[in-house]
């Protein structure tokens, strides 16, 4: 099934994924492309509309990212946001200049409610501004459709050509009616009908996988996390016993998690899967010995996963396809989707080494955000406790241990994390934070336990609230709860004498520590 598509052209803005997510919330499929993507390639996607993102540079700097002006005469509606709005004006004959004063944060904007973009929006509405430059003169043919006390052109439009520009960010939640504005763009300007629904995605994906794989044999990397679990069940429904799910227990999982995964997906579980558990803990520990750099850890773990799969494939016989639970944020954050900087590498993104004996990688969830993966899981009938499980990184606790990984440190973080989760559940906070976990810092400090001086590690607790995992805020846990957690950890986990709570949001931090 071919979906209506809106394309986001990324100029390095921090909210690129958020724009795509908001458009999908409107029921319209959206994908991100770099500003280096040619216009012919964009047009080949047959987009109903194009959105230009923000970016960190000034459009009048010759070294800054730009695009061909032919986009604006291609007959495709275009919405420029922040840098994208300034670029549109600059390329079409307007003037962008340094602003007399930087405008940042929640700002009251007066909009022209006769505009299709602002249909149904309050005349005075709160929007999120973040800019050093401003549109000093709109391009010929554009009318000003919004302004603030300090920004004479907060929005401009040329409805005849389907061109709209906003200086603020409608995609962030701080812009109170931003979702309504984006819905107006995709429905009233672009003419979308909204055919991006999870039931149709699941149905069409099963049919497409069945056609692609045919009689081939499939090997799936099953971790027990949300992504790999949904991918496994999707494949099982498509090809049945042609699928073998291999669960590699690398010894970097949460406490008792290996046995829990086997209980759900193994022979005694409810799913008709070929399930193989590989206990490879020592193999991974040996490879990680003495390695401190986070990206090096990720690469080692990713490469070992591939080696394990090679060995299992040889035992199974012919294997044609390898299934991975890659999701859309993995793709974009690995630098393979838009233009934003690579934030982290993923062992399940970007293909296999040349000598691997698989025909092809299958990534059935590659186009989905995390909450869409959960929706697909519910559509597939997965139990809620599995569907709503917190995200857990592929490299596991290796990236929740700062510095070198050892079996002793793994045990420490497993125990601390289990205590944290138990106390959160007892306090009824399980649904109050989107993700929470314990990490082991590389900091050691002096303490006193009993009558003895100690020199032990500090555990950091991380709990965040988020709607999309692209941005997040620290969860406001009560002092009483933090005290209970701290008391248990320092008393029950050997070699830990301090507990810290991470109050940093994303950005500037990431949710994970490494």
């Amino acid at each position: 099934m071919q979906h209506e598509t809106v394309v986001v052209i990324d100029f390095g803005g921090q909210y690129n994924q958020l724009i795509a997510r908001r458009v999908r919330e409107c029921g319209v499929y959206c994908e991100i492309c770099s500003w280096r993507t040619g216009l012919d390639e964009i047009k080949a996607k047959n987009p109903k509309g194009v959105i230009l993102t923000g970016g960190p540079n000034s459009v009048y700097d010759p070294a800054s990212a730009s695009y061909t002006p032919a986009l604006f005469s291609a007959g495709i509606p275009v919405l420029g946001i922040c840098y994208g709005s300034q670029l549109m004006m600059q390329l079409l004959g307007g003037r962008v200049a340094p602003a007399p004063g930087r405008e940042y944060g929640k700002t009251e904007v007066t909009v022209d409610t006769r505009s299709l973009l602002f249909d149904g929006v309050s005349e005075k509405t709160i929007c999120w501004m973040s800019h050093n430059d401003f549109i000093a003169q709109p391009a010929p043919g554009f009318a000003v459709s919004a302004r603030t006390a300090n920004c004479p052109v907060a929005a401009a439009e040329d409805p005849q050509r389907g061109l709209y520009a906003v200086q603020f960010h409608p995609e962030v939640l701080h812009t109170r009616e931003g979702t309504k504005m984006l819905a107006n763009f995709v429905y009233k300007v672009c003419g979308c009908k909204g055919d991006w629904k999870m039931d149709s995605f699941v149905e069409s994906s099963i049919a497409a996988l069945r056609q692609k794989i045919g009689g081939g044999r499939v090997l799936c990397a099953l971790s027990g996390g949300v992504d790999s679990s949904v991918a496994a069940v999707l494949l099982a429904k498509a090809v049945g016993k042609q699928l073998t799910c291999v669960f590699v227990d690398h010894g970097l999982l949460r406490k008792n998690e290996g046995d829990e995964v086997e209980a759900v997906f193994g022979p005694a579980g409810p799913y008709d899967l070929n399930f193989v558990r590989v206990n490879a803990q020592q193999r991974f520990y040996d490879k990680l010995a003495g390695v401190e750099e986070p990206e090096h850890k990720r690469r080692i773990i990713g490469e070992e996963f591939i080696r394990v799969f090679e060995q299992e494939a040889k035992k199974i016989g012919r294997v044609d396809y390898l299934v991975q639970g890659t999701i859309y944020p993995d793709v974009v954050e690995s630098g393979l989707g838009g233009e934003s900087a690579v934030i982290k590498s993923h062992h399940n993104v970007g293909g296999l080494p040349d000598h691997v004996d698989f025909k092809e990688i299958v990534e059935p969830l590659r186009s989905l955000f995390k909450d869409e993966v959960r929706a697909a899981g519910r559509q597939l009938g997965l139990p809620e406790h599995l569907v709503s499980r917190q995200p857990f990184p592929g490299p596991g606790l290796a990236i929740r241990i700062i510095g070198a990984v050892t079996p002793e440190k793994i045990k420490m973080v497993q125990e601390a994390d289990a205590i944290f989760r138990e106390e959160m559940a007892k306090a009824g906070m399980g649904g109050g934070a989107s993700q929470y976990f314990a990490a082991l810092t590389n900091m050691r400090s002096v303490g006193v336990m009993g009558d003895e001086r100690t020199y032990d590690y500090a555990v950091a607790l991380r709990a965040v609230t988020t709607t999309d995992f692209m941005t997040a805020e620290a969860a406001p846990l009560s002092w009483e709860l933090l005290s209970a957690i701290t008391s248990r950890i320092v008393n029950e986990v050997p070699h830990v004498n301090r507990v810290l709570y991470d109050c940093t949001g994303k950005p500037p931090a990431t949710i994970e520590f490494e």
Side-chain angles (χ1 to χ4, degrees):
M1 179 179 175
Q2 187 64 44
H3 295 285
E4 301 170 321
T5 300
V6 168
V7 171
V8 171
I9 299 180
D10 180 18
F11 293 93
Q14 62 177 314
Y15 301 129
N16 60 354
Q17 293 184 52
L18 202 50
I19 296 170
R21 187 65 201 91
R22 295 288 178 255
V23 172
R24 291 194 193 182
E25 285 175 359
C26 296
V28 177
Y29 180 71
C30 187
E31 62 181 68
I32 302 168
C33 295
S34 164
W35 63 272
R36 293 182 173 85
T37 307
L39 181 57
D40 286 344
E41 190 176 337
I42 296 290
K43 288 165 74 174
K45 298 177 184 293
N46 194 28
K48 300 284 284 185
V50 169
I51 299 177
L52 311 180
T53 76
N57 303 311
S58 295
V59 298
Y60 46 78
D61 182 345
S64 294
S66 188
Y67 206 71
T68 172
L71 169 66
F72 305 111
S73 57
I76 306 167
V78 181
L79 171 64
I81 294 175
C82 199
Y83 181 92
S85 72
Q86 296 170 3
L87 182 64
M88 184 188 293
M89 295 299 104
Q90 182 93 348
L91 292 174
L92 293 176
R95 186 168 65 87
V96 176
R102 186 183 182 208
E103 201 168 31
Y104 181 83
K106 293 179 182 179
T107 306
E108 185 178 80
V109 179
T110 302
V111 305
D112 185 346
T113 56
R114 295 171 297 177
S115 165
L116 279 180
L117 195 65
F118 301 125
D119 185 37
V121 174
S122 308
E123 184 179 357
K124 292 189 182 297
T125 187
I126 298 298
C127 299
W128 184 260
M129 290 284 191
S130 179
H131 63 100
N132 294 314
D133 297 328
F134 79 124
I135 299 167
Q137 178 64 48
F142 281 80
V144 176
S145 55
R147 56 179 50 83
T148 73
N150 299 315
C151 185
V153 187
E157 62 183 60
D158 183 346
Q160 296 300 315
R161 288 189 284 174
L163 304 179
Y164 293 80
V166 295
Q167 181 60 70
F168 52 85
H169 288 273
E171 70 276 18
V172 302
L173 294 177
H174 300 303
T175 298
R176 289 180 187 168
E177 298 176 271
T179 299
K180 187 181 294 183
M181 297 172 195
L182 290 172
N184 284 340
F185 178 69
V186 298
Y187 284 108
K188 296 181 178 179
V189 176
C190 301
C192 293
K193 296 181 178 63
D195 63 0
W196 177 243
K197 302 284 188 276
M198 197 45 62
D199 55 352
S200 60
F201 169 83
V202 167
E203 200 174 299
S204 59
S205 293
I206 290 170
L209 288 166
R210 192 173 289 141
Q211 181 177 9
K212 177 185 181 69
I213 292 166
R217 299 283 297 278
V218 187
L219 183 62
C220 177
L222 179 61
S223 70
V226 178
D227 303 336
S228 67
S229 297
V230 173
V233 178
L234 200 60
L235 263 294
K237 287 185 178 291
V239 298
K241 289 290 190 178
Q242 292 166 233
L243 170 68
T244 298
C245 290
V246 174
F247 167 51
V248 177
D249 188 346
H250 49 28
L252 299 164
L253 298 171
R254 288 169 285 208
K255 185 177 179 181
N256 300 328
E257 202 161 45
D259 293 338
E260 291 170 4
V261 171
E262 185 169 3
V264 173
F265 290 100
Y271 304 108
D272 188 24
L273 302 173
N274 292 319
F275 178 84
V276 177
R277 178 174 179 173
V278 184
N279 292 308
Q281 296 92 331
Q282 195 59 50
R283 176 171 174 169
F284 281 86
Y285 297 164
D286 292 344
K287 288 283 185 179
L288 289 167
V291 178
E292 296 189 3
E293 204 276 318
E295 287 301 301
H296 193 190
K297 290 182 195 175
R298 289 177 180 271
R299 284 193 294 273
I300 287 171
I301 294 167
E303 287 166 6
E304 279 306 292
F305 259 93
I306 297 303
R307 302 288 80 79
V308 171
F309 286 136
E310 281 184 308
Q311 291 177 4
E312 290 307 313
K314 286 172 184 171
K315 293 176 189 174
I316 294 163
R318 189 189 89 248
V319 172
D320 303 296
Y321 297 93
L322 174 66
V323 179
Q324 292 182 328
T326 310
I327 65 173
Y328 203 45
D330 297 342
V331 175
V332 177
E333 290 189 1
S334 298
L336 303 175
E339 185 55 29
S340 298
V342 176
I343 299 169
K344 57 189 175 183
S345 66
H346 290 264
H347 68 268
N348 59 343
V349 175
L352 293 167
D354 293 337
H355 59 275
V356 175
D357 296 330
F358 300 107
K359 177 181 174 183
E360 193 177 339
I361 292 179
V362 176
E363 297 171 311
L365 310 178
R366 188 181 175 90
S367 64
L368 301 186
F369 287 96
K370 176 66 77 173
D371 55 339
E372 292 174 317
V373 174
R374 296 188 198 281
R378 293 184 181 100
Q379 193 68 34
L380 286 162
L382 283 163
E384 185 59 34
H385 75 270
L386 186 59
V387 171
S388 58
R389 192 175 190 178
Q390 292 189 27
F392 189 67
L397 298 180
I399 58 171
R400 293 181 182 173
I401 296 172
I402 311 303
V405 175
T406 66
E408 293 74 24
K409 287 184 178 180
I410 293 166
K411 180 73 171 171
M412 289 160 65
V413 76
Q414 282 177 333
E415 294 297 332
D417 183 73
I419 290 169
F420 189 16
R421 288 186 285 128
E422 285 171 17
E423 292 298 321
M424 288 286 279
K426 274 199 276 184
M429 286 296 296
S434 307
Q435 185 175 359
Y436 49 92
F437 58 87
L440 184 64
T441 74
N442 206 22
M443 182 184 85
R444 298 181 74 185
S445 63
V446 173
V448 178
M449 298 186 78
D451 294 324
E452 295 184 1
R453 178 183 182 275
T454 63
Y455 187 61
D456 282 329
Y457 288 94
V459 161
L461 304 179
R462 180 79 160 139
V464 298
T465 58
T466 178
T467 56
D468 47 43
F469 292 89
M470 298 299 100
T471 60
E473 294 181 355
L477 303 188
S478 72
W479 191 249
E480 182 182 11
L481 175 58
L482 286 170
S483 296
I485 296 164
T486 298
S487 177
R488 281 196 61 192
I489 288 175
V490 296
N491 281 294
E492 297 176 32
V493 183
H495 307 300
V496 174
N497 65 1
R498 285 182 194 265
V499 176
L500 314 173
Y501 186 62
D502 185 352
C503 298
T504 323
K506 175 187 179 182
T510 55
I511 293 176
E512 294 291 343
F513 275 65
E514 291 193 340

